[in-house]
Amino acid sequence: MFRSNNITARIFQRQITTPSPGTSVHHARRFYENIVPGCTIHDVECPDLSFRKFTEDGKYLISFSRTHQDLIVYRPTWLSFSCKQEDCDTQDLPLKAKKFESFFTQLYSVPLASASEVICKDFFLYAETNQFGVFATSTAQIHDAPATGGAILGVPSIEKITFHLLRLEDGVVLDERVFCNDYINLAQSMGVFLFEDLLAIVSLRYQRIHILQIRDSGSLVDLRSIGEFCREDDELFLNSSSQADGTAQHMPINNVVNDPNLEQPAQENCFLSGIKQRLLSFIVRGIQNEQKVETMRNQSLKKKFYFHFQDYVDLIIWKVQFLDRHHLLIKFGSVEAAVSRNADNHPSFFAVYNMESTEIIAFYQMSSDELYLLYEQFCDYFHVPSKSSLYMNFISSHSNNIYALEQLRNNKSKATSFSLFIKKVLASLPFNCQSQNPSPYFDQSLFRYDEKLISAADRHRQSTDHPIKFILRRPPHTLKFKIKTGPEAGITDCRTKRISSFIFHPILPLALSVQQTLFSQPAVVNIHFRR
């Protein structure tokens, strides 16, 4: 059906027509084709802060001080100014309207980090139901820390990691959880995943998955710890067995403490962890079920299991994500890859774990055709769509958008090796929590743009001097708006490496583009909005 470029005509069209059942939200989102952030204020006057992102409901803008000690939260407001002339649209904005304070109102500033800690600027998770924010602070990383108290050799240590649960409405810190002498990957929230009111925290150093619940009262409650033990009574059973045998009591290490000065007890444990034993038993049963003949079964076990037994034993947990309230997708790999900057080139494995039955119910290699088909057809299930925000379910993926699917299949047809293509695609699993921007301007059914320069993924990108174009998907495929980073006149020093980040409001036609260098120079912030 023809859709006019005139927004008034589209409003009249909406009044006299009724969309097909189940398409009302799609029809409403098409109005964003007419309401775009086409006006830009270059190098706006703003505080020297590190801007993180908008919350998923668009109510708050999260930012941190340059010293990474304070949290500063803003409320987005809309620009308003008076004009005495007749044609206000052609007139330049007043000087007061070109300031940061014209678009955002500071709600509060809260000191989060102590003198020895700094705020992890790449970490922030938002619980929209209660409008709680989860932040993290940590001390400096120790690369050559000794592997004491059951720690994994080769994994760095951080003396103190603190998770803060904060009510964003007024900035009150409701609860904290401290991890001592541990290592949790906080970059881009890789080591933490939030699903509804459940929080999963992966301890790389001690190979534990801590499952916490965020209560409505604002408290963090421990539900279970998966790793060394899988059931709540596993520790009790081992301790009682050791006492009955007259051996030393089995003492696990619990690195979640309230006292940061508490040292870890030493432990000599000859057993494999509970999660590792369940993984090995699942692999053995899978190989045994493949062959019906006893001799063939033994040969398969020798070739596929015993030959690689030590490789399986050496696997450690890299990342975790919730698939639902009872199932986890766990990524296993080597120790070297877990602490490296680029783990995509290292072999890895995926397991689906049922927390209630404590069973591994699926196990895939990194080049698994079966897992790739599941990812291609049901990608949205890996993103864990939100139940509270309807617009969060419209983030474009190749399982809900024909244009994204076409792009994926084009990349697959151009790949020289299908196996390498699968490894490259599955390397992104498990997805980082809340890593996709729900802005309608990233909806590939509405707009077309260069995903090498900008996308819904929350990450920094190489800056370009050319503006990023957003073009309509429907005919006549006109240019609707541009996003230009950096100063209006461009950068004179081309030798300086510059990176850009884009912070789009999830609902309003409002965006921030932040361009910064690798040095401690103030960032260049541009505001893009609809005038």
Side-chain angles (χ1 to χ4, degrees):
M1 183 178 65
F2 174 77
R3 300 194 293 269
S4 172
N5 283 325
N6 187 286
I7 189 171
T8 306
R10 297 187 68 167
I11 293 176
F12 281 120
Q13 186 73 15
R14 182 179 63 179
Q15 291 178 333
I16 62 177
T17 59
T18 302
S20 303
T23 63
S24 58
V25 177
H26 292 279
H27 278 73
R29 287 172 65 88
R30 289 174 182 172
F31 277 88
Y32 282 104
E33 295 178 341
N34 299 85
I35 305 174
V36 298
C39 184
T40 301
I41 301 178
H42 293 272
D43 201 2
V44 65
E45 296 183 20
C46 67
D48 187 17
L49 302 175
S50 176
F51 296 101
R52 179 65 183 97
K53 63 187 297 186
F54 288 102
T55 55
E56 292 180 352
D57 54 9
K59 294 182 179 180
Y60 307 99
L61 173 64
I62 306 300
S63 62
F64 308 111
S65 62
R66 283 294 179 182
T67 59
H68 300 150
Q69 297 290 314
D70 302 321
L71 164 70
I72 300 95
V73 176
Y74 289 89
R75 174 85 71 182
T77 56
W78 200 246
L79 176 66
S80 62
F81 63 94
S82 59
C83 180
K84 298 180 180 180
Q85 303 181 18
E86 295 182 358
D87 191 4
C88 296
D89 292 338
T90 59
Q91 302 297 324
D92 194 15
L93 292 175
L95 294 178
K96 292 184 178 180
K98 293 183 178 182
K99 295 184 178 181
F100 183 83
E101 292 76 13
S102 299
F103 294 87
F104 301 96
T105 301
Q106 180 176 332
L107 298 181
Y108 50 82
S109 176
V110 177
L112 280 186
S114 62
S116 60
E117 290 181 293
V118 293
I119 298 174
C120 179
K121 64 177 182 179
D122 293 331
F123 180 87
F124 166 66
L125 297 177
Y126 181 56
E128 184 178 353
T129 304
N130 300 310
Q131 296 186 17
F132 293 160
V134 181
F135 302 89
T137 59
S138 66
T139 56
Q141 181 175 312
I142 305 173
H143 292 277
D144 54 350
T148 58
I152 300 298
L153 182 64
V155 177
S157 176
I158 299 177
E159 182 181 356
K160 182 182 178 183
I161 303 172
T162 307
F163 290 94
H164 309 263
L165 182 65
L166 185 136
R167 186 169 56 216
L168 292 180
E169 183 181 6
D170 51 12
V172 175
V173 178
L174 302 175
D175 200 355
E176 293 180 350
R177 185 55 48 90
V178 179
F179 292 79
C180 292
N181 302 317
D182 206 336
Y183 183 81
I184 299 170
N185 196 344
L186 299 176
Q188 301 298 325
S189 308
M190 291 180 63
V192 185
F193 201 93
L194 176 65
F195 176 74
E196 296 178 356
D197 60 340
L198 298 180
L199 191 68
I201 302 176
V202 179
S203 166
L204 280 176
R205 185 166 171 82
Y206 294 99
Q207 286 298 284
R208 288 195 186 91
I209 305 171
H210 301 276
I211 306 298
L212 285 69
Q213 185 179 32
I214 302 176
R215 296 288 175 86
D216 293 338
S217 59
S219 59
L220 294 170
V221 179
D222 290 304
L223 294 185
R224 56 169 54 91
S225 177
I226 304 169
E228 186 177 8
F229 307 117
C230 293
R231 295 187 184 274
E232 289 79 1
D233 58 348
D234 284 352
E235 180 183 357
L236 178 62
F237 175 78
L238 288 176
N239 288 339
S240 60
S241 299
S242 62
Q243 289 177 355
D245 296 339
T247 58
Q249 188 176 7
H250 186 280
M251 291 295 294
I253 308 115
N254 183 6
N255 59 310
V256 185
V257 297
N258 294 322
D259 184 4
N261 298 318
L262 184 63
E263 295 182 357
Q264 301 295 340
Q267 178 191 16
E268 295 295 335
N269 189 4
C270 59
F271 293 104
L272 293 175
S273 64
I275 186 70
K276 190 67 65 67
Q277 292 190 35
R278 280 160 173 75
L279 176 63
L280 294 176
S281 62
F282 179 85
I283 296 173
V284 169
R285 291 196 304 268
I287 296 174
Q288 289 177 338
N289 294 333
E290 290 177 357
Q291 301 293 339
K292 302 300 182 181
V293 183
E294 184 70 21
T295 56
M296 297 297 294
R297 184 184 303 167
N298 293 333
Q299 291 180 5
S300 295
L301 284 173
K302 291 179 182 179
K303 181 179 179 180
K304 297 181 179 180
F305 181 73
Y306 295 117
F307 184 76
H308 299 285
F309 176 79
Q310 192 59 44
D311 296 330
Y312 290 135
V313 170
D314 293 339
L315 292 177
I316 68 169
I317 299 173
W318 282 1
K319 292 178 63 177
V320 166
Q321 78 163 88
F322 284 101
L323 296 177
D324 54 36
R325 294 188 68 87
H326 305 294
H327 294 87
L328 296 174
L329 177 64
I330 306 176
K331 188 174 186 177
F332 291 91
S334 63
V335 177
E336 296 77 11
V339 296
S340 65
R341 291 183 175 271
N342 186 13
D344 297 344
N345 299 327
H346 294 78
S348 59
F349 301 87
F350 302 92
V352 179
Y353 177 78
N354 188 316
M355 293 189 294
E356 301 301 323
S357 64
T358 70
E359 294 178 340
I360 300 287
I361 62 176
F363 183 69
Y364 305 99
Q365 294 188 15
M366 193 177 183
S367 57
S368 170
D369 296 352
E370 181 182 358
L371 181 59
Y372 171 76
L373 291 177
L374 292 173
Y375 172 77
E376 182 178 305
Q377 299 174 12
F378 307 102
C379 180
D380 290 344
Y381 288 90
F382 291 95
H383 280 291
V384 191
S386 172
K387 292 184 179 180
S388 56
S389 299
L390 182 62
Y391 53 86
M392 290 296 296
N393 300 330
F394 289 87
I395 298 176
S396 296
S397 69
H398 44 263
S399 61
N400 65 23
N401 189 283
I402 187 174
Y403 301 104
L405 179 60
E406 181 182 357
Q407 183 178 2
L408 177 70
R409 291 177 175 174
N410 288 337
N411 294 336
K412 181 168 62 175
S413 62
K414 295 177 183 179
T416 56
S417 171
F418 183 62
S419 177
L420 293 178
F421 172 77
I422 292 179
K423 291 181 180 180
K424 183 178 180 180
V425 172
L426 297 184
S428 59
L429 294 179
F431 288 119
N432 295 342
C433 186
Q434 299 181 4
S435 61
Q436 299 284 313
N437 192 305
S439 172
Y441 302 106
F442 293 125
D443 189 342
Q444 297 190 34
S445 299
L446 302 178
F447 299 98
R448 178 167 54 89
Y449 47 86
D450 190 350
E451 288 198 67
K452 296 180 180 179
L453 303 177
I454 192 172
S455 71
D458 181 19
R459 62 184 180 90
H460 297 289
R461 298 177 184 273
Q462 187 71 31
S463 292
T464 175
D465 293 332
H466 305 287
I468 302 172
K469 301 178 181 180
F470 285 76
I471 302 173
L472 277 182
R473 278 289 184 186
R474 69 174 181 87
H477 308 293
T478 56
L479 174 66
K480 293 303 297 183
F481 68 98
K482 301 177 183 178
I483 295 291
K484 175 69 169 62
T485 61
E488 185 175 8
I491 298 295
T492 57
D493 187 7
C494 299
R495 298 171 297 177
T496 304
K497 186 176 181 180
R498 293 162 285 124
I499 57 175
S500 296
S501 58
F502 303 93
I503 307 173
F504 275 71
H505 194 278
I507 303 172
L508 300 175
L510 176 66
L512 297 178
S513 63
V514 183
Q515 184 185 85
Q516 52 191 348
T517 63
L518 299 179
F519 306 100
S520 302
Q521 299 178 358
V524 178
V525 179
N526 296 345
I527 297 181
H528 313 271
F529 65 103
R530 182 179 187 268
R531 183 170 175 177

